[in-house]
Amino acid sequence: MLSSPEAVVRLPFPPPASSVMALFEQMRANVGKLLKGIDRYNPENLATLERYVETQAKENAYDLEANLAVLKLYQFNPAFFQTTVTAQILLKALTNLPHTDFTLCKCMIDQAHVSFIKGEQEERPIRQILYLGELLETCHFQAFWQALDENMDLLDGITGFEDSVRKFICHVVGITYQHIDRWLLAKMLGDLTDNQLKSWMSKYGWTEPEPGTIFICNQEESIKPKNIVEKIDFDSVSSIMASSQ
């Protein structure tokens, strides 16, 4: 038992979510002002931008323009290159597939660093993320989850990464399949439990008309033919015929 009131330790309550989001939006606005004009190329602003990247990862937010500005500053100032921040930027870009953000970010990594990455243990996270990105972009989803499982430390400080990837996979499934085996869908989404799979099915309106088979959509109904009508008047044709004689 505690002998006196002074011995009671009162832990501070975490700030409410609304307060956190308000702080993030304020940070986004400040960074937006910083990126306008010549200041976006000032290396003295790197610390602020790097903190902003870390905040995006923690709060499950995303700002491509700011992240590209960080990579551009690394190009101009190779000595300031930070592996951890670059890894966070690449992972956040993967959460925005099927948009081309990941390709944009890859192109912003200086080739000298790419060569350096291949041979250095401390740059291993970036090499692994590039591999994960290749697996996702080529739709090798089961291989992606296996590779991710072997490198879960990459996700330290990254909130919502796996569910963001699942949204991309569901997008691919939705435009590719009419029916899919239940076990295969569960594997593609990362070995989901039965309840987890039902939750994702409900989110996208997928049904199970018969055990073991999931109906995605009728792809034929998604095809919208377009009739193209070309109107050519006689005067146009006659001038062409005349010139060919």
Side-chain angles (χ1 to χ4, degrees):
M1 295 186 60
L2 298 172
S3 58
S4 66
E6 287 75 11
V8 177
V9 177
R10 290 183 172 85
L11 297 177
F13 289 103
S18 59
S19 175
V20 172
M21 286 308 300
L23 289 172
F24 176 79
E25 289 303 324
Q26 181 62 47
M27 192 175 192
R28 182 195 291 271
N30 292 338
V31 169
K33 294 177 183 177
L34 186 140
L35 293 178
K36 293 178 181 179
I38 197 67
D39 272 346
R40 72 182 294 137
Y41 302 113
N42 186 347
E44 293 181 1
N45 293 324
L46 255 177
T48 299
L49 292 171
E50 288 169 343
R51 284 195 301 272
Y52 184 47
V53 172
E54 293 173 1
T55 304
Q56 291 177 57
K58 182 180 178 181
E59 302 301 333
N60 197 15
Y62 186 55
D63 190 332
L64 175 63
E65 183 183 4
N67 295 348
L68 291 177
V70 173
L71 296 179
K72 176 59 70 175
L73 282 168
Y74 287 159
Q75 279 188 327
F76 291 157
N77 307 274
F80 295 144
F81 183 84
Q82 294 291 329
T83 300
T84 301
V85 176
T86 304
Q88 289 175 329
I89 290 173
L90 289 172
L91 287 170
K92 291 301 297 181
L94 283 179
T95 65
N96 207 36
L97 285 169
H99 298 287
T100 58
D101 301 13
F102 186 69
T103 300
L104 284 172
C105 291
K106 282 194 300 184
C107 293
M108 295 288 286
I109 300 176
D110 194 279
Q111 287 300 310
H113 282 297
V114 172
S115 300
F116 181 67
I117 289 166
K118 291 179 180 178
E120 295 294 333
Q121 182 65 24
E122 66 180 16
E123 305 296 342
R124 177 177 168 273
I126 297 179
R127 186 171 67 248
Q128 293 299 324
I129 295 168
L130 294 178
Y131 176 60
L132 291 174
E134 180 182 347
L135 292 175
L136 282 177
E137 290 177 325
T138 55
C139 297
H140 290 88
F141 300 133
Q142 295 182 60
F144 164 81
W145 292 112
Q146 182 178 354
L148 182 64
D149 188 57
E150 296 170 356
N151 297 275
M152 286 301 293
D153 57 310
L154 293 175
L155 301 188
D156 289 346
I158 308 290
T159 302
F161 177 82
E162 292 165 291
D163 279 349
S164 295
V165 169
R166 290 188 178 102
K167 289 178 183 177
F168 165 63
I169 295 173
C170 286
H171 164 76
V172 173
V173 170
I175 63 175
T176 307
Y177 288 88
Q178 292 193 146
H179 296 85
I180 186 173
D181 290 335
R182 184 186 182 91
W183 69 267
L184 178 58
L185 181 61
K187 286 284 187 182
M188 291 172 69
L189 292 174
D191 282 326
L192 295 185
T193 65
D194 188 60
N195 287 336
Q196 289 172 329
L197 183 60
K198 287 180 180 178
S199 175
W200 283 95
M201 288 171 56
S202 175
K203 185 178 297 186
Y204 287 89
W206 299 340
T207 58
E208 190 172 7
E210 56 184 79
T213 301
I214 296 174
F215 175 71
I216 304 299
C217 71
N218 188 340
Q219 296 293 350
E220 294 178 358
E221 294 178 355
S222 302
I223 300 174
K224 298 179 180 179
K226 184 177 181 180
N227 294 325
I228 300 175
V229 179
E230 296 184 1
K231 295 181 179 180
I232 303 176
D233 55 37
F234 179 76
D235 292 338
S236 299
V237 176
S238 61
S239 63
I240 294 173
M241 294 176 64
S243 63
S244 63
Q245 291 179 354

